[in-house]
Amino acid sequence: MSDRRSPGLRDRAAVAGIGWTPYSKNSGVSTLELALRAISAALTDCGLTAADVDGLVTHGVGDSTPAATVGAALGVSDPHLLLDVWGGGSMSAATIGTAAMAVASGQAETVVCWRALNARSEFRMGGTGRAAPTLVEFQYQVPYGLFTPPQQYALVGRAYLEAAGAGAEDLGRVAITQRVHAALNPRAMMREPLDMETYLGSRWIAEPLRLFDCCLETDAAIAVVVTSAERARDLPQPPVLVAAAGTGGGHSLFSDDRPDWSVSAAADLAPRLYAKAGIGPDGIDVAELYDAFTPLVLMQLEDYGLAPRHGAPDLVASGATALGGKIPTNTHGGHLSEGYLHGLNHVAEAVIQLRGHAGERQVPGAATALCTGQPGYVSGVTSALILRSDR
């Protein structure tokens, strides 16, 4: 049983509102418009207005409208917190953690966090057909043909499969399980059934990654409203408390002293995160794990202590990560089947589960959720959250 009176961030801030735009292949609007629509929906969800907002935090990789522009469009003339966090999905959880720290310290009272991007119709980080990115490591990747994330994560996936003695079917079970969850999610882009034959018959993207091992490039926005726990209790929706937040290091493709690429930086972050929340892995009821590619789910199940080392394939095969299992994982379908919003849709799903509002995909009695960002590969950084209901 955790001590709610513990000092620090624990349970002092809460997610009060969530909002999103439809997921699509072509939004037809700017990332500014997407951000404003999602933020408006999140504020409506918790009964607040733009006049209540005094903090704005977003994350991106040069592919979205800056926080200052969004704040001006909202009419926030004197933001107490204004932050653009550089990083794709690696820093998704960090945006919520930063907002929670600002609220807990009194720097801001109501902070909106969001991710808005037209990743399918406009700009894709790491994609070809545009100028080379201004990253030091790019000069070391190009000679070897490492241009895109699937190529980069194929190396990571191969390292894990060899270390764990796993194979294609183990990756397939991750994609299939999440597709079952997506079928119960009316927002999901991919809801049709997926079986092992279809999975194995899909085309290679970059071995060992097939088509269904890869996330869905998506146009959409997600927004989250963070305020104090006390204030959230007076708002319409059940508060979801920020029990812990953390950031960590990671792996770089061009210079890395980590001896085992099958273990992500999440393994270093996890003990700190659990200590801050006052619980252990066995205290997590639902896991929303960053799943740009299927191997990352297996790796994080192990690195966050939800499965023994090299035991994640057997855990998934047993049905433990499915709805009704011991640790339901990516209950909305994840990036593989719902849509790729760089981690904030995982936070929104955790909030829905902890509110008890997930309908057919509801995890009975869900009181705690682990939400993770990309576990540190390529970017060299990672972040994660533990959220808990206020019941």
Side-chain angles (χ1 to χ4, degrees):
M1 189 73 179
S2 65
D3 181 1
R4 297 294 182 92
R5 298 168 298 174
S6 297
L9 179 64
R10 189 190 305 173
D11 298 344
R12 295 176 62 187
V15 175
I18 51 174
W20 49 83
T21 68
Y23 299 82
S24 74
K25 296 180 180 180
N26 190 341
S27 69
V29 299
S30 66
T31 56
L32 172 59
E33 180 64 23
L34 286 172
L36 295 174
R37 290 179 183 182
I39 292 169
S40 177
L43 290 169
T44 298
D45 182 55
C46 60
L48 298 176
T49 70
D52 296 296
V53 175
D54 59 0
L56 303 103
V57 182
T58 189
H59 69 105
V61 285
D63 54 4
S64 192
T65 306
T69 303
V70 173
L74 283 173
V76 182
S77 60
D78 182 27
H80 300 179
L81 173 68
L82 189 65
L83 185 61
D84 291 273
V85 180
W86 180 265
S90 300
M91 299 303 287
S92 55
T95 62
I96 309 300
T98 299
M101 287 189 290
V103 167
S105 67
Q107 182 177 353
E109 186 173 347
T110 303
V111 182
V112 291
C113 306
W114 74 93
R115 180 71 166 114
L117 71 167
N118 282 321
R120 182 61 178 261
S121 65
E122 291 183 5
F123 182 95
R124 174 60 174 123
M125 66 172 185
T128 57
R130 60 178 59 90
T134 55
L135 301 173
V136 173
E137 62 264 34
F138 203 72
Q139 64 186 305
Y140 302 108
Q141 298 175 24
V142 171
Y144 300 98
L146 291 175
F147 292 99
T148 66
Q151 294 171 316
Q152 296 160 348
Y153 283 92
L155 301 178
V156 174
R158 179 64 70 193
Y160 175 80
L161 292 178
E162 291 187 1
E169 290 83 359
D170 296 304
L171 299 182
R173 290 186 190 100
V174 172
I176 291 166
T177 299
Q178 293 188 198
R179 183 62 63 84
V180 172
H181 299 168
L184 303 176
N185 178 3
R187 288 186 301 279
M189 295 180 72
M190 301 293 285
R191 302 180 65 194
E192 59 273 18
L194 176 64
D195 58 28
M196 189 64 74
E197 181 180 2
T198 303
Y199 166 81
L200 292 173
S202 65
R203 70 180 185 272
W204 290 112
I205 302 301
E207 292 187 52
L209 303 178
R210 292 174 164 84
L211 176 65
F212 296 113
D213 291 308
C214 303
C215 60
L216 301 171
E217 297 294 4
T218 310
D219 287 11
I222 295 281
V224 176
V225 178
V226 178
T227 189
S228 69
E230 292 76 12
R231 189 180 190 209
R233 293 181 182 113
D234 293 329
L235 298 175
Q237 300 289 358
V240 172
L241 305 175
V242 179
T247 60
H251 302 63
S252 167
L253 283 177
F254 75 99
S255 178
D256 188 15
D257 59 359
R258 292 176 179 270
D260 186 355
W261 272 56
S262 71
V263 179
S264 80
D268 297 330
L269 170 60
R272 291 189 282 115
L273 188 73
Y274 288 127
K276 289 177 182 179
I279 62 174
D282 58 352
I284 299 297
D285 296 323
V286 59
E288 309 296 349
L289 305 180
Y290 198 91
D291 58 322
F293 304 97
T294 52
L296 297 182
V297 176
L298 298 175
M299 298 172 77
Q300 288 175 95
L301 285 168
E302 298 174 13
D303 293 343
Y304 281 101
L306 303 172
R309 182 62 59 201
H310 301 157
D314 288 341
L315 185 77
V316 175
S318 75
T321 60
L323 291 169
K326 179 182 178 182
I327 181 67
T329 301
N330 294 345
T331 50
H332 50 329
H335 294 142
L336 299 174
S337 287
E338 184 190 51
Y340 189 36
L341 264 294
H342 285 192
L344 275 194
N345 49 327
H346 288 48
V347 175
E349 174 67 11
V351 171
I352 292 169
Q353 288 286 344
L354 298 180
R355 286 177 176 178
H357 294 172
E360 291 183 275
R361 65 183 192 281
Q362 180 64 49
V363 175
T368 57
L370 170 66
C371 299
T372 71
Q374 191 273 116
Y377 290 101
V378 183
S379 65
V381 292
T382 187
S383 61
L385 297 166
I386 294 176
L387 303 178
R388 95 169 105 228
S389 70
D390 195 35
R391 295 192 294 269

